[in-house]
Amino acid sequence: MNYVVTIGLEVHAQLLTQSKMFCSCSARYIGKEPNTNTCPVCLGLPGALPVINQQGVADTILTALALNCQIAPLTKFDRKNYFYPDLPKGYQISQFDLPLSHDGWLEVVVDGITHRCGITRVHLEEDTGTMHHAGDVLQEASSSLIDLNRCGVPLMEIVGEPDIPTPEVAREYLVRLRQILMYIGVNDGNLEEGSFRCDANISLKPAGESGLGTKVEVKNMNSFRAVQKALEFEIARQTDILNSGGTVLQETRGWVEGKSATVSQRSKEHAHDYRYFPEPDLPPMEFDAPFLATMKAKLPELPAALSQRFCEQYGLTAYEAAVLSATRDDAQTFEELVAEKIPAKVAATWLMGDVARLANEHRVPVRESGLQTTGLGVLLKLVVDNAINGSTAKELLAEFYVQGGDVAAAVRDRGLAQVSDENALVKVVDEAIAGNPRACEDFRGGKDSALQSLVGSVMKATRGRADAKMVTQLLRDRLRG
Amino acid sequence: MNWATTTIGECARALRDGTTTPHELLTESLARIEATNGELNAFLALSPDRAHEQATKAAERLQKEGSSASPLCGVPVAIKDVLCTEGIETTAGSKILQGFIPPYTSTAVQRLIDAGAIVVGKTNCDEFAMGSSNENSAYGPVSNPWDTTRVPGGSSGGSAAAVAAGTVTFSLGTDTGGSIRQPAALCGVVGMKPTYGRVSRYGVVALASSLDQVGPFTQTVEDCAMVYGAIAGHDPRDSTSSPSAVDDPLITLRRGVEGLRLGVPKEYFGEGLDSGVKATVEKALQQLESLGAKLVEVSLPTTDVGLSTYYIIMPAECSSNLARYDGVRFGHCAPQSSLTATYMTSRDEGFGPETKRRLMLGTYALSSGYYDAYYRKAQKVRTLVAEDFSRVFRDVDALVCPTSPVVAFPKGDRSDPYSMYLCDVLTIPVNLAGLPGLSLPCGFVDGLPVGLQVIGPRFADNLVLQVAYAYEQSTAWHKERSPIASAVAS
Amino acid sequence: MTSAMTLSPADIDHLAMLARLGLTSNERGIIASQLDNILDHVSTLSKVDTAHVDETARVTELVDVWRDDVMAPSFLVDVALRNAPQRDGQYFKVGAIQE
């Protein structure tokens, strides 16, 4: 039987503020000694009170705008009440019935088809602490250790509509969402460290039937690949159950990477009743039109728009445009080179080729390398002006990428300038012809590839500086002549 | 000199003219606590070492700053045990916080310390400020200095009794539904609940966040104005604290009541009001009239549903505020074989019966299926209660009425929870609307003090003090001392 | 909401679990009747007409109360852990999570 798959995604993304959401402790907790990043507020001490971090609110509004959401004119925080050792106050300050924003969307393209994925809401809350369990499995641990360094870090919850049809679209949605958050500078997109976390829900129903199937929640996926695999696994699992006449259990399942499977997380069910009510310690927030206009003005050009502009303005292919707008830094580097009169195609070829390889090899993007974007610009300008040839440029790029330095001076000092003076080259070409009679014969006999060894010998004689195009032309002229 | 009957003003003068020193006041205060606490149980913890350090600093300041020093400089104060004090055990009257040493100090207390006041110790109270008799303290009840077989009122019973017994010159309490004004009335002292948002709640163990407010207990209205002036003001750590400026209450204190329109809410004189209390308060109203005030009968029709509204909103917020007492980071912990069992046992052992009752009630009011009928409904009625006051304040400057429907009752007299809740029926509406309210002595019934309550519009705290001062200065009730205060003083 | 509202033992058990209060069965019985009594009194609320009334969650008129995103020093770890009933090194500790 054919089933219709419905997937909804819920993303939690930490904001990159300096301080926590409701207190002045640092929001940067990774790598800190346990419980060295706390105060009365985030420890939930008796009498401590929260104070809203304005930057957290601004970042969430920026995110909501980037995701085409409506911003609520009046919003407030609520308390979500439940007990757990990583939640010191016994409630999480979150948002319930008046979230900061609602009704947005994000478009993704998979296999040439554009999917507009609905976004129910983007709201703001606080992160919990972290727990370490003695033993591998939570249920079997004899004790748990609690670190509250992360507790209170601003956390956005981005709730997607259950309208995603396939695991591929789900994955692409997450890739694009993460890209946008990083573009607007509110999140570092680190799935492994958990600054960008995703839960999914998925249901299947027979094609043609109305309503929704039983919803299964899937957690513990800490890579995009894991999300896709977990959802594919669930589709197979639920299809099997339904095909054999069974019913899918409404439950929460965890993705276990080692088993490549989802596993039921059933624990003794305490009926959840979060007893939300308005946080009495925090006055509500109101956003007027001028404030929202200011926020909109802060919104940078987003990847989809940028990518399209690159195609139209610079004649790049869709693929080139997508690669060059992958991050805001990448896009900026490209446009800075173009501004230095490097033709777009040349800049694109180099950025996607040798520069990308070096960036990967040294784990440092060109903007932060010793060479810097300006150095790369100088180098490419020499190429464009025919002042050096391609292989010299590649060698210089590799040499100067990390250490930096004056590329133009090196070309001058070392005499690396390309030799494109015909008179000078004719002499060397004639020497090469004289020194390689066999190759000349082969070429004349119709073996075109024999020309390469002759070019090589000219390049060797000029220490790589000869204009290869001109050398080839001269060789052909003289051998045929 | 007999310090037991002195006011802040008298202490301040004596400290400046060299008649006494901060150390002498402190030593005497500690001695009086020592002499009375066995009988009163007003204090849970003393901090003599820190107090002596503060006294030394106060003495230096008095020498250096002289008359420009705060009038509170060098004057001993007691703090209700729900206000966090760095390094001094803070239990909120609960076993669950036994041994808890806060690593920080509440803003209100810090302001007193900054003014030079000497923190002598922490006073007993109903557990987490829940009660009207101080019988809900895990550390035993407090006795009323006027009759030690009777309750001092609550929940700030220890703070009220400490001042009434002359052990300290003033004290701080908290008022969520009457917890300052009612014990002030029952102990024959002045007690004030400022406008919600006037005094920072930072560092105050929360009962109901939208209702709680810190305020002073003093022997006179002038003292009350001084302490209020010292603790009021914006605190960036409390987002509900008002950023508006606090005018010096002493400037307007002596302006009298002539020409003021004082509303007398008729619902506050109805069923349940003790006839002796009624007669005493009516006499006080005549006194105000004779001072030139115009008495106007007004109606606050939501008075009778105020109590019900309160007993939904307060426990609802309380059930959330008290979730942090889970035995993980502080407080009582009774480890069991599972996390849930540990939570349940720790909290069962740590909380007393009234606290458990309110946690259950508040959990119920917020729970799925009942939220609309209880919590949301109560929030709506709360709007009507506040509107009632707004309406009458378009016609009158302030309201005058009884604080408590009864005088101090014998310990153990009100074992039924609801009968205890009725103690606060005349004080609760003020908290629901966030208004300033003050209770001051206005006479006696069978030798027990009666309190007159003055209520003002939001942020009219100074006017409330002005009305109270006019009445007080035209009578001698504030000069009456409890038998315990008199015995210690002689 | 009617004045005849009574809480069943199951209701009380559910509330005790939500509030994490391990009451004895005797206590549960007493609390049930006390809550019934209180709820009976509270039921007067249902008689108030609130059809066109807004809810009051806070009595202040304040809005947009926030702070700048500025860091301040945190507690030293020993201060943070000073009141902990159970600790393990620099961590707070709880026993088995096992439900």
Side-chain angles (χ1 to χ4, degrees), chain B residues 115-136:
Chain B
I118 315 297
V119 177
V120 175
K122 306 297 290 288
T123 56
N124 202 345
C125 58
D126 284 302
E127 182 175 25
F128 288 104
M130 287 186 252
S132 310
S133 69
N134 219 114
E135 292 167 297
N136 295 333

mmCIF file of all heavy atoms in Angstrom, chain B residues 115-136:
data_model
loop_
_atom_site.group_PDB
_atom_site.id
_atom_site.type_symbol
_atom_site.label_atom_id
_atom_site.label_comp_id
_atom_site.label_asym_id
_atom_site.label_seq_id
_atom_site.Cartn_x
_atom_site.Cartn_y
_atom_site.Cartn_z
ATOM 1 N N ALA B 115 22.513 52.084 54.279
ATOM 2 C CA ALA B 115 22.152 53.270 55.057
ATOM 3 C C ALA B 115 22.805 53.246 56.438
ATOM 4 O O ALA B 115 22.730 54.228 57.175
ATOM 5 C CB ALA B 115 20.630 53.365 55.183
ATOM 6 N N GLY B 116 23.400 52.113 56.800
ATOM 7 C CA GLY B 116 24.093 52.025 58.083
ATOM 8 C C GLY B 116 23.316 51.294 59.161
ATOM 9 O O GLY B 116 23.778 51.213 60.317
ATOM 10 N N ALA B 117 22.144 50.744 58.835
ATOM 11 C CA ALA B 117 21.370 50.008 59.840
ATOM 12 C C ALA B 117 22.110 48.729 60.235
ATOM 13 O O ALA B 117 22.905 48.187 59.455
ATOM 14 C CB ALA B 117 19.992 49.665 59.291
ATOM 15 N N ILE B 118 21.858 48.269 61.465
ATOM 16 C CA ILE B 118 22.558 47.096 61.984
ATOM 17 C C ILE B 118 21.606 45.903 61.958
ATOM 18 O O ILE B 118 20.597 45.882 62.662
ATOM 19 C CB ILE B 118 22.991 47.321 63.462
ATOM 20 C CG1 ILE B 118 23.608 48.698 63.648
ATOM 21 C CG2 ILE B 118 23.897 46.189 63.931
ATOM 22 C CD1 ILE B 118 24.871 48.937 62.883
ATOM 23 N N VAL B 119 21.926 44.902 61.123
ATOM 24 C CA VAL B 119 21.068 43.713 61.026
ATOM 25 C C VAL B 119 21.380 42.781 62.201
ATOM 26 O O VAL B 119 22.433 42.157 62.260
ATOM 27 C CB VAL B 119 21.275 42.981 59.688
ATOM 28 C CG1 VAL B 119 20.429 41.711 59.632
ATOM 29 C CG2 VAL B 119 20.923 43.901 58.527
ATOM 30 N N VAL B 120 20.407 42.722 63.121
ATOM 31 C CA VAL B 120 20.606 41.961 64.361
ATOM 32 C C VAL B 120 20.324 40.481 64.143
ATOM 33 O O VAL B 120 21.015 39.614 64.673
ATOM 34 C CB VAL B 120 19.679 42.523 65.463
ATOM 35 C CG1 VAL B 120 19.779 41.689 66.717
ATOM 36 C CG2 VAL B 120 20.021 43.966 65.743
ATOM 37 N N GLY B 121 19.297 40.179 63.357
ATOM 38 C CA GLY B 121 18.964 38.771 63.149
ATOM 39 C C GLY B 121 17.748 38.603 62.272
ATOM 40 O O GLY B 121 17.212 39.568 61.716
ATOM 41 N N LYS B 122 17.337 37.342 62.144
ATOM 42 C CA LYS B 122 16.234 36.969 61.262
ATOM 43 C C LYS B 122 15.033 36.550 62.100
ATOM 44 O O LYS B 122 15.176 35.829 63.091
ATOM 45 C CB LYS B 122 16.664 35.798 60.359
ATOM 46 C CG LYS B 122 17.941 36.062 59.574
ATOM 47 C CD LYS B 122 17.820 37.222 58.583
ATOM 48 C CE LYS B 122 16.918 36.899 57.426
ATOM 49 N NZ LYS B 122 17.488 35.935 56.470
ATOM 50 N N THR B 123 13.863 37.005 61.666
ATOM 51 C CA THR B 123 12.676 36.754 62.473
ATOM 52 C C THR B 123 11.815 35.619 61.942
ATOM 53 O O THR B 123 11.741 35.366 60.732
ATOM 54 C CB THR B 123 11.815 38.028 62.583
ATOM 55 O OG1 THR B 123 11.504 38.479 61.270
ATOM 56 C CG2 THR B 123 12.532 39.110 63.356
ATOM 57 N N ASN B 124 11.153 34.993 62.873
ATOM 58 C CA ASN B 124 10.264 33.869 62.615
ATOM 59 C C ASN B 124 9.085 34.306 61.741
ATOM 60 O O ASN B 124 8.694 35.484 61.755
ATOM 61 C CB ASN B 124 9.754 33.346 63.965
ATOM 62 C CG ASN B 124 9.278 31.909 63.900
ATOM 63 O OD1 ASN B 124 9.064 31.363 62.817
ATOM 64 N ND2 ASN B 124 9.121 31.296 65.061
ATOM 65 N N CYS B 125 8.521 33.379 61.017
ATOM 66 C CA CYS B 125 7.368 33.684 60.164
ATOM 67 C C CYS B 125 6.671 32.388 59.800
ATOM 68 O O CYS B 125 7.220 31.304 59.994
ATOM 69 C CB CYS B 125 7.826 34.402 58.894
ATOM 70 S SG CYS B 125 9.030 33.477 57.925
ATOM 71 N N ASP B 126 5.470 32.512 59.277
ATOM 72 C CA ASP B 126 4.801 31.330 58.749
ATOM 73 C C ASP B 126 5.623 30.793 57.588
ATOM 74 O O ASP B 126 6.252 31.563 56.842
ATOM 75 C CB ASP B 126 3.396 31.698 58.252
ATOM 76 C CG ASP B 126 2.416 31.894 59.390
ATOM 77 O OD1 ASP B 126 2.226 30.958 60.186
ATOM 78 O OD2 ASP B 126 1.841 33.000 59.488
ATOM 79 N N GLU B 127 5.597 29.482 57.431
ATOM 80 C CA GLU B 127 6.392 28.840 56.392
ATOM 81 C C GLU B 127 6.122 29.477 55.019
ATOM 82 O O GLU B 127 4.978 29.550 54.576
ATOM 83 C CB GLU B 127 6.075 27.344 56.331
ATOM 84 C CG GLU B 127 6.927 26.619 55.285
ATOM 85 C CD GLU B 127 6.716 25.106 55.289
ATOM 86 O OE1 GLU B 127 5.646 24.649 55.702
ATOM 87 O OE2 GLU B 127 7.643 24.402 54.861
ATOM 88 N N PHE B 128 7.199 29.942 54.383
ATOM 89 C CA PHE B 128 7.107 30.612 53.080
ATOM 90 C C PHE B 128 6.042 31.707 53.084
ATOM 91 O O PHE B 128 5.385 31.976 52.085
ATOM 92 C CB PHE B 128 6.849 29.599 51.946
ATOM 93 C CG PHE B 128 8.056 28.757 51.647
ATOM 94 C CD1 PHE B 128 8.119 27.438 52.072
ATOM 95 C CD2 PHE B 128 9.138 29.294 50.976
ATOM 96 C CE1 PHE B 128 9.253 26.674 51.826
ATOM 97 C CE2 PHE B 128 10.272 28.530 50.725
ATOM 98 C CZ PHE B 128 10.327 27.224 51.147
ATOM 99 N N ALA B 129 5.882 32.346 54.261
ATOM 100 C CA ALA B 129 4.957 33.486 54.405
ATOM 101 C C ALA B 129 3.504 33.098 54.189
ATOM 102 O O ALA B 129 2.701 33.932 53.783
ATOM 103 C CB ALA B 129 5.376 34.634 53.467
ATOM 104 N N MET B 130 3.184 31.838 54.475
ATOM 105 C CA MET B 130 1.807 31.384 54.284
ATOM 106 C C MET B 130 1.126 31.179 55.629
ATOM 107 O O MET B 130 1.325 30.153 56.282
ATOM 108 C CB MET B 130 1.787 30.079 53.505
ATOM 109 C CG MET B 130 2.110 30.277 52.051
ATOM 110 S SD MET B 130 1.919 28.759 51.146
ATOM 111 C CE MET B 130 3.608 28.345 50.840
ATOM 112 N N GLY B 131 0.345 32.184 56.027
ATOM 113 C CA GLY B 131 -0.385 32.044 57.274
ATOM 114 C C GLY B 131 -0.731 33.391 57.848
ATOM 115 O O GLY B 131 -0.220 34.428 57.404
ATOM 116 N N SER B 132 -1.608 33.389 58.831
ATOM 117 C CA SER B 132 -2.057 34.636 59.444
ATOM 118 C C SER B 132 -1.906 34.580 60.956
ATOM 119 O O SER B 132 -2.483 35.385 61.673
ATOM 120 C CB SER B 132 -3.533 34.867 59.090
ATOM 121 O OG SER B 132 -3.725 34.729 57.708
ATOM 122 N N SER B 133 -1.117 33.637 61.442
ATOM 123 C CA SER B 133 -0.981 33.483 62.894
ATOM 124 C C SER B 133 0.428 33.135 63.334
ATOM 125 O O SER B 133 0.714 33.054 64.519
ATOM 126 C CB SER B 133 -1.926 32.380 63.378
ATOM 127 O OG SER B 133 -1.461 31.118 62.910
ATOM 128 N N ASN B 134 1.292 32.909 62.359
ATOM 129 C CA ASN B 134 2.659 32.454 62.613
ATOM 130 C C ASN B 134 2.719 31.042 63.201
ATOM 131 O O ASN B 134 3.762 30.571 63.644
ATOM 132 C CB ASN B 134 3.422 33.424 63.534
ATOM 133 C CG ASN B 134 4.874 33.586 63.106
ATOM 134 O OD1 ASN B 134 5.312 34.648 62.692
ATOM 135 N ND2 ASN B 134 5.633 32.504 63.180
ATOM 136 N N GLU B 135 1.577 30.363 63.179
ATOM 137 C CA GLU B 135 1.574 28.989 63.687
ATOM 138 C C GLU B 135 2.056 27.992 62.632
ATOM 139 O O GLU B 135 2.231 26.811 62.936
ATOM 140 C CB GLU B 135 0.162 28.605 64.158
ATOM 141 C CG GLU B 135 -0.254 29.377 65.401
ATOM 142 C CD GLU B 135 -1.742 29.246 65.683
ATOM 143 O OE1 GLU B 135 -2.544 29.704 64.837
ATOM 144 O OE2 GLU B 135 -2.099 28.683 66.725
ATOM 145 N N ASN B 136 2.242 28.458 61.386
ATOM 146 C CA ASN B 136 2.702 27.560 60.330
ATOM 147 C C ASN B 136 4.221 27.533 60.198
ATOM 148 O O ASN B 136 4.738 26.979 59.230
ATOM 149 C CB ASN B 136 2.103 27.961 58.978
ATOM 150 C CG ASN B 136 0.600 27.799 58.950
ATOM 151 O OD1 ASN B 136 0.049 26.975 59.685
ATOM 152 N ND2 ASN B 136 -0.067 28.597 58.142
#
